[in-house]
């Protein structure tokens, strides 16, 4: 019921601890940060410094919550991410005559997820996430959860999130030095989508810009579909420096 997220930025590392309440929502119970300059223009230039900063935020979070933290999710800049759109149509398994109206089962959905992520991944990339987009029943009805729906087949749309293998290796090394496991790797703007967009905007065509100190992360969404992400090595520090220089 405890979820930990870590964001490695250009000037600091931030760690947030959330607790899942009875309504399935995540409540923030701790938020800590520590200065760090181990990341420059989105590139990892000092693994040890990042690792020490993570360890410091984790210790502060543990002191604050009286919890032992062993693992966390971590964000990844858009420049290291590739999004692959995929779609499959899955037949619901043949059932006994007496069971033919039981609808689509959880096993059918899990089978579809296994099928949809079975793509050829380039050697330089690693599969880090699957974002289910929409599921369409045989009659054209769009559902978020097809389990129990009466349909002989359904079509699943998803985005397969690939990350640069070398960057993932560096993240794994950094976490290991800090004594942590990685629960998952999440593109920055994908993590932010549900935080900054309201219910209506989640169905619009939207571009998110996250302007950090030295990096701008871009995420483009076509309704629920995550279609593009990237990073530009320019941020607030550059703007501040330009103003200072001119004035």
């Amino acid at each position: 019921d405890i979820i930990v997220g870590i964001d490695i930025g250009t000037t600091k590392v931030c760690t947030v601890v959330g607790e899942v309440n009875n309504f399935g929502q995540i409540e923030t119970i701790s938020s800590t940060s520590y200065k760090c300059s181990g990341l420059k223009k989105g590139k990892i230039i000092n693994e040890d410094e990042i690792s020490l900063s993570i360890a410091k935020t984790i210790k502060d979070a543990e002191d604050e919550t009286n919890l032992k933290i062993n693992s966390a999710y971590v964000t990844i800049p858009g420049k290291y991410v590739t999004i692959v759109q995929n779609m499959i149509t899955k037949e619901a398994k043949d059932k006994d005559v007496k069971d033919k109206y039981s609808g689509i089962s959880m096993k059918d959905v899990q089978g579809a997820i296994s099928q949809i992520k079975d793509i050829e991944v380039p050697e330089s990339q690693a599969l880090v996430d699957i974002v289910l987009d929409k599921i369409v029943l045989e009659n054209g009805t769009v559902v978020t959860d097809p389990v129990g729906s009466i349909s002989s087949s359904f079509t699943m749309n998803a985005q397969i999130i690939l990350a640069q293998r070398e960057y993932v290796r560096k993240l794994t090394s950094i976490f290991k030095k800090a004594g942590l496991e990685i629960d998952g790797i999440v593109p920055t703007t994908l993590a932010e989508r549900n935080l900054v967009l309201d219910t209506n905007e989640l169905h619009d065509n939207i571009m998110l810009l996250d302007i950090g100190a030295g990096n701008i992360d871009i995420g483009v969404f076509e309704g629920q579909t995550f279609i593009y992400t990237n990073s530009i090595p320019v941020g607030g520090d550059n703007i501040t420096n330009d103003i200072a220089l001119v004035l």
Side-chain angles (χ1 to χ4, degrees):
D1 292 338
I2 300 293
I3 295 175
V4 182
I6 293 176
D7 181 59
I8 303 165
T10 311
T11 58
K12 63 183 177 182
V13 166
C14 298
T15 292
V16 176
V17 182
E19 184 174 23
V20 182
N21 64 21
N22 295 334
F23 302 102
Q25 301 161 323
I26 301 170
E27 294 179 9
T28 300
I29 57 173
S30 170
S31 179
T32 59
S33 64
Y34 194 72
K35 64 181 190 299
C36 178
S37 54
L39 195 76
K40 193 173 177 71
K41 296 191 182 297
K43 290 181 181 175
I44 293 170
I45 57 170
N46 190 329
E47 288 188 23
D48 291 338
E49 185 176 349
I50 297 172
S51 181
L52 287 169
S53 295
I54 289 174
K56 178 75 173 74
T57 63
I58 292 293
K59 185 183 183 308
D60 290 347
E62 286 178 337
D63 292 344
E64 202 175 309
T65 60
N66 290 320
L67 294 167
K68 176 76 181 109
I69 296 170
N70 300 307
S71 62
Y73 289 87
V74 62
T75 54
I76 183 171
K79 69 186 287 184
Y80 299 108
V81 173
T82 302
I83 304 168
V84 178
Q85 306 290 339
N86 202 10
M87 179 181 79
I88 61 142
T89 298
K90 172 87 173 161
E91 298 290 324
K93 293 278 183 233
D94 291 330
K95 298 177 171 64
D96 299 333
V97 174
K98 63 178 181 181
D99 195 30
K100 70 176 180 178
Y101 297 113
S102 63
I104 296 166
S105 69
M106 178 62 80
K107 195 172 180 183
D108 291 329
V109 176
Q110 288 170 341
I113 292 171
S114 293
Q115 255 181 274
I116 209 162
K117 72 177 184 181
D118 188 20
I119 64 168
E120 198 172 316
V121 179
E123 212 171 291
S124 61
Q125 306 278 316
L127 195 156
V128 294
D129 202 2
I130 299 165
V131 183
L132 292 184
D133 185 355
K134 62 182 176 184
I135 295 168
V136 185
L137 302 181
E138 193 180 28
N139 64 4
T141 306
V142 177
V143 294
T144 49
D145 183 3
V147 174
S149 298
I150 307 299
S151 182
S152 61
S153 67
F154 60 94
T155 300
M156 180 181 280
N157 295 269
Q159 287 86 58
I160 315 300
I161 310 295
L162 306 179
Q164 193 184 95
R165 191 176 289 277
E166 179 59 18
Y167 193 88
V168 172
R169 187 197 64 74
K170 286 182 179 179
L171 281 180
T172 307
S173 169
I174 287 165
F175 268 61
K176 194 173 180 182
K177 289 174 186 173
L180 296 169
E181 296 287 325
I182 293 178
D183 286 325
I185 297 172
V186 188
T188 303
T189 48
L190 181 62
E192 291 168 340
R193 174 176 64 171
N194 294 329
L195 291 174
V196 300
L197 301 184
D198 63 29
T199 311
N200 295 329
E201 290 170 332
L202 285 170
H203 301 286
D204 290 340
N205 299 338
I206 293 280
M207 178 168 73
L208 284 182
L209 292 180
D210 176 355
I211 304 176
N215 210 49
I216 295 176
D217 252 284
I218 305 164
V220 180
F221 299 90
E222 188 177 354
Q224 294 286 343
T225 309
F226 188 28
I227 61 171
Y228 178 78
T229 186
N230 210 335
S231 307
I232 304 170
V234 173
D237 282 354
N238 303 92
I239 297 166
T240 303
N241 289 341
D242 287 354
I243 293 169
L245 192 66
V246 172
L247 299 180

